[in-house]
Amino acid sequence: MLRPLKGIFDPADHPDLLVGLDSPDDAAVWRLDAERALVVTTDFFTPVVDTPYEYGAIAAANSLSDVYAMGGKPFLALNIANMPASLDPEIVGEILRGGAEKAREAGVVVAGGHTVQDEEPKYGLVVLGFVHPEKKLTKGGARPGDALVLTKPLGFGVTTTAIKRGIAAPEDIDEAVGWMSKLNDTAAEAARTFGLTGGTDVTGYSLLGHGYEVAAASGVGLRIDFERVPFISCARHYAEQGAFPGGSVDNAAYFGPHVTFDPALDEVDRMLLFDAQTSGGLLLSVPAGKTGDLIDWMRANGRAAWRIGEVVEEDGIRVNGG
Ligand code: CO
Ligand code: CO
């Protein structure tokens, strides 16, 4: 989408733009001085759950995530809200309250924003954060020998599609909403604490799509052990009912040629790894000697982390079966 912008801005004219269009990443990064760079991002989407407050909270957690995915700390945000004129103002208020309370939990102040009328609701944030210019987490920072660590389970795409189809059980909705609302703040702090350089967040392009972006930007390959990949408890159930969003099908078509699957993995297994996530976890590239300590550190701080594979020299992604 952004390709037409390419020749318009010459990177040589903007030496403080450390991460921009010529090295696409989760957010843009602009150096302020030797110690600080500004991280800037925006994201918004249509409702993924039926409860307005939770929709707002998930959309905000997702918008904030792109700052965390750069290893940064967000501090300031603006609302972006497209709302139907017919929508009850109380519902709009709940969406914005869900977003604002999630931002406050992140230590971020929502200082304004912009609202327009639209047939379908859309909500998200513009987010500003800080990162040390030398300590960024980028898609190009993975190195062969690193372990791949994921900080939220998968299965949010099939579950939100099951909600839209009216077939999701209340306990499954609660489980998915609980994970999607979680901030990636602790994962970003882990990345800073352990001096990581490679990582991203897992969102619409799925584990394999975002994994491929990391592999391509870093000039490496990935090996993923299917048995180690965490899923929320209902993921397989809804996947078997074909509740994949359109984005997951697109991901399989687009990223499939870069992935080799163990023949033991069936179509549902494969599609679950292409499932488009909303507000997923961070996918971190962790030097092998630090992996156990990082996972322990995440648990000690009340968060989860799973080692799901490793970074290798050979191109492409290989997924090992059970
Ligand atoms: Co991202
Ligand atoms: Co994004």
Side-chain angles (χ1 to χ4, degrees):
M1 285 288 200
L2 296 173
R3 208 161 291 150
L5 301 187
K6 254 193 156 170
I8 298 176
F9 304 104
D10 184 347
D13 295 338
H14 308 283
D16 289 320
L17 182 60
L18 304 181
V19 178
L21 290 175
D22 61 318
S23 55
D25 216 296
D26 294 293
V29 179
W30 182 275
R31 180 171 48 214
L32 297 172
D33 55 40
E35 303 282 304
R36 280 184 324 160
L38 207 50
V39 185
V40 187
T41 182
T42 184
D43 215 326
F44 54 90
F45 49 65
T46 56
V48 286
V49 292
D50 293 333
T51 40
Y53 181 90
E54 263 95 32
Y55 164 45
I58 292 166
N62 180 73
S63 300
L64 292 160
S65 177
D66 277 326
V67 172
Y68 296 129
M70 301 306 289
K73 276 187 195 167
F75 68 96
L76 183 65
L78 304 174
N79 283 324
I80 300 176
N82 294 18
M83 296 292 156
S86 60
L87 195 63
D88 183 344
E90 231 169 84
I91 292 179
V92 176
E94 279 298 282
I95 296 170
L96 299 182
R97 195 169 68 87
E101 291 193 349
K102 185 53 66 178
R104 188 178 60 189
E105 180 191 330
V108 170
V109 58
V110 178
H114 186 63
T115 308
V116 296
Q117 280 186 18
D118 195 350
E119 278 170 30
E120 199 177 6
K122 296 172 188 81
Y123 173 67
L125 300 174
V126 174
V127 187
L128 277 76
F130 290 118
V131 72
H132 192 291
E134 315 282 292
K135 296 174 186 166
K136 302 180 301 298
L137 198 59
T138 63
K139 291 177 183 173
R143 299 289 170 260
D146 287 358
L148 285 174
V149 171
L150 183 64
T151 67
K152 287 188 193 180
L154 305 179
F156 308 155
V158 287
T159 308
T160 54
T161 303
I163 294 172
K164 285 184 181 130
R165 292 188 185 172
I167 58 167
E171 63 271 23
D172 296 339
I173 297 173
D174 287 350
E175 188 183 356
V177 166
W179 280 108
M180 291 189 289
S181 311
K182 267 197 214 313
L183 293 168
N184 284 326
D185 54 351
T186 310
E189 201 185 329
R192 291 189 295 270
T193 302
F194 289 87
L196 307 188
T197 58
T200 189
D201 59 347
V202 177
T203 54
Y205 291 160
S206 76
L207 174 68
L208 293 179
H210 290 291
Y212 179 70
E213 290 180 327
V214 168
S218 299
V220 298
L222 307 183
R223 297 292 173 266
I224 293 173
D225 294 320
F226 185 81
E227 299 300 316
R228 290 173 173 261
V229 178
F231 293 97
I232 54 173
S233 57
C234 57
R236 193 168 179 98
H237 174 66
Y238 296 129
E240 280 171 351
Q241 296 184 52
F244 286 100
S248 305
V249 178
D250 294 345
N251 289 338
Y254 189 78
F255 296 107
H258 303 290
V259 182
T260 309
F261 289 100
D262 188 308
L265 296 171
D266 67 18
E267 187 59 22
V268 171
D269 295 333
R270 298 176 191 205
M271 278 304 294
L272 278 168
L273 299 183
F274 286 122
D275 189 30
Q277 301 298 289
T278 297
S279 192
L282 296 194
L283 177 65
L284 300 170
S285 187
V286 185
K290 298 180 176 178
T291 310
D293 287 344
L294 180 137
I295 290 172
D296 290 345
W297 187 95
M298 284 290 284
R299 293 202 179 130
N301 284 278
R303 298 301 169 96
W306 294 267
R307 180 183 183 147
I308 62 162
E310 59 186 335
V311 179
V312 295
E313 270 175 41
E314 309 88 76
D315 276 359
I317 300 180
R318 180 179 295 275
V319 183
N320 300 319

